[in-house]
């Protein structure tokens, strides 16, 4: 099947995203207009310490007007390998570095309107090594035992999509330890 972009217009260029309006011709000849957020990609990290606790950030998210409990995450810099982004982001967001970063299943965050591809990592062997947080972030660090995290997960207390996805990817693996 052939889907062809017949017109593409950049209607907004921001710091982390660009918004495009595109006309797409479908294989049956129909033409549809779609809006696409182009994003450079990102990482989400599940930091698991030697005491069996998962580290989170509670971060203010202006679009939803609330502080959300999330796993540390961040946007790829141009040309930056995802493992470098992951190593930097956990130092910025939770003040810890990881002796081991293991890349896990990755995913498109919201493919209905965005190109953002999320690289997921398990971070173990944590040790203190802090970088300054981004100026635009308001973050509180929290950590919870694995069992409590999955109880919160089951009660629907975790509402951030990337966090839910990575916790689901690792559920069996973490609960079997």
């Amino acid at each position: 099947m052939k889907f062809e972009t017949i017109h593409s217009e950049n209607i907004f260029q921001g710091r982390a995203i660009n918004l495009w309006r595109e006309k797409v011709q479908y294989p049956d000849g129909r033409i549809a207009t779609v809006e696409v957020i182009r994003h450079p990609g990102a990482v989400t990290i599940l930091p698991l310490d030697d005491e069996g606790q998962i580290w989170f950030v509670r971060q203010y998210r202006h679009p939803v007007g609330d502080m959300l409990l999330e796993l540390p995450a961040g946007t790829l810099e141009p040309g930056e390998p995802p493992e470098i982004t992951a190593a930097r982001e956990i130092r910025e967001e939770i003040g810890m570095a990881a002796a081991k970063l293991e890349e896990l299943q990755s995913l498109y965050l919201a493919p209905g309107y965005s190109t953002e591809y999320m690289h997921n990592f398990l971070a173990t062997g944590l040790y203190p090594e802090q970088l300054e947080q981004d100026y635009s972030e308001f973050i509180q660090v929290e950590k919870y035992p694995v069992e409590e995290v999955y109880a919160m997960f089951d009660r629907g207390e975790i509402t951030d999509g990337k966090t839910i996805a990575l916790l689901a990817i690792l559920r069996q693996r973490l609960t079997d330890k």
Side-chain angles (χ1 to χ4, degrees):
M1 280 205 251
K2 184 176 176 188
F3 294 84
E4 183 179 352
T5 301
I6 56 176
H7 179 75
S8 186
E9 173 188 11
N10 183 212
I11 57 178
F12 174 79
Q13 187 155 349
R15 179 186 58 81
I17 64 167
N18 294 305
L19 178 60
W20 292 76
R21 182 177 298 125
E22 299 184 344
K23 289 190 185 287
V24 179
Q25 185 168 18
Y26 293 167
D28 64 4
R30 288 180 295 143
I31 295 175
T33 300
V34 297
E35 292 160 348
V36 178
I37 294 174
R38 298 217 186 281
H39 188 281
V43 299
T44 302
I45 309 105
L46 190 149
L48 178 63
D49 67 22
D50 293 339
E51 288 75 42
Q53 296 192 93
I54 298 174
W55 292 58
F56 290 87
V57 294
R58 193 169 296 274
Q59 186 168 1
Y60 177 67
R61 294 300 192 179
H62 186 72
V64 298
D66 203 359
M67 297 280 290
L68 297 183
L69 187 65
E70 307 176 16
L71 291 169
T75 301
L76 297 172
E77 296 292 333
E80 183 176 57
E83 58 275 4
I84 300 298
T85 307
R88 181 187 69 247
E89 288 296 331
I90 61 169
R91 291 169 58 211
E92 286 178 5
E93 294 195 356
I94 67 168
M96 302 293 277
K100 182 178 180 188
L101 279 172
E102 178 185 349
E103 189 162 6
L104 304 168
Q105 179 181 346
S106 297
L107 54 96
Y108 285 101
L109 192 61
Y113 61 84
S114 174
T115 62
E116 184 174 1
Y117 193 70
M118 185 70 64
H119 301 267
N120 294 310
F121 290 87
L122 174 62
T124 55
L126 302 181
Y127 58 93
E129 190 174 297
Q130 187 161 0
L131 287 177
E132 188 175 331
Q133 289 182 353
D134 288 340
Y135 176 78
S136 63
E137 295 179 322
F138 186 86
I139 293 174
Q140 298 168 347
V141 178
E142 301 178 18
K143 55 185 175 175
Y144 300 95
V146 170
E147 303 79 25
E148 187 175 341
V149 168
Y150 283 104
M152 294 163 59
F153 181 93
D154 291 339
R155 291 190 303 264
E157 295 173 12
I158 299 172
T159 57
D160 173 62
K162 68 187 175 302
T163 298
I164 290 169
L166 187 46
L167 288 172
I169 289 166
L170 287 175
R171 184 173 209 157
Q172 193 63 46
R173 180 180 189 167
L174 292 177
T175 54
D176 284 349
K177 285 189 173 191

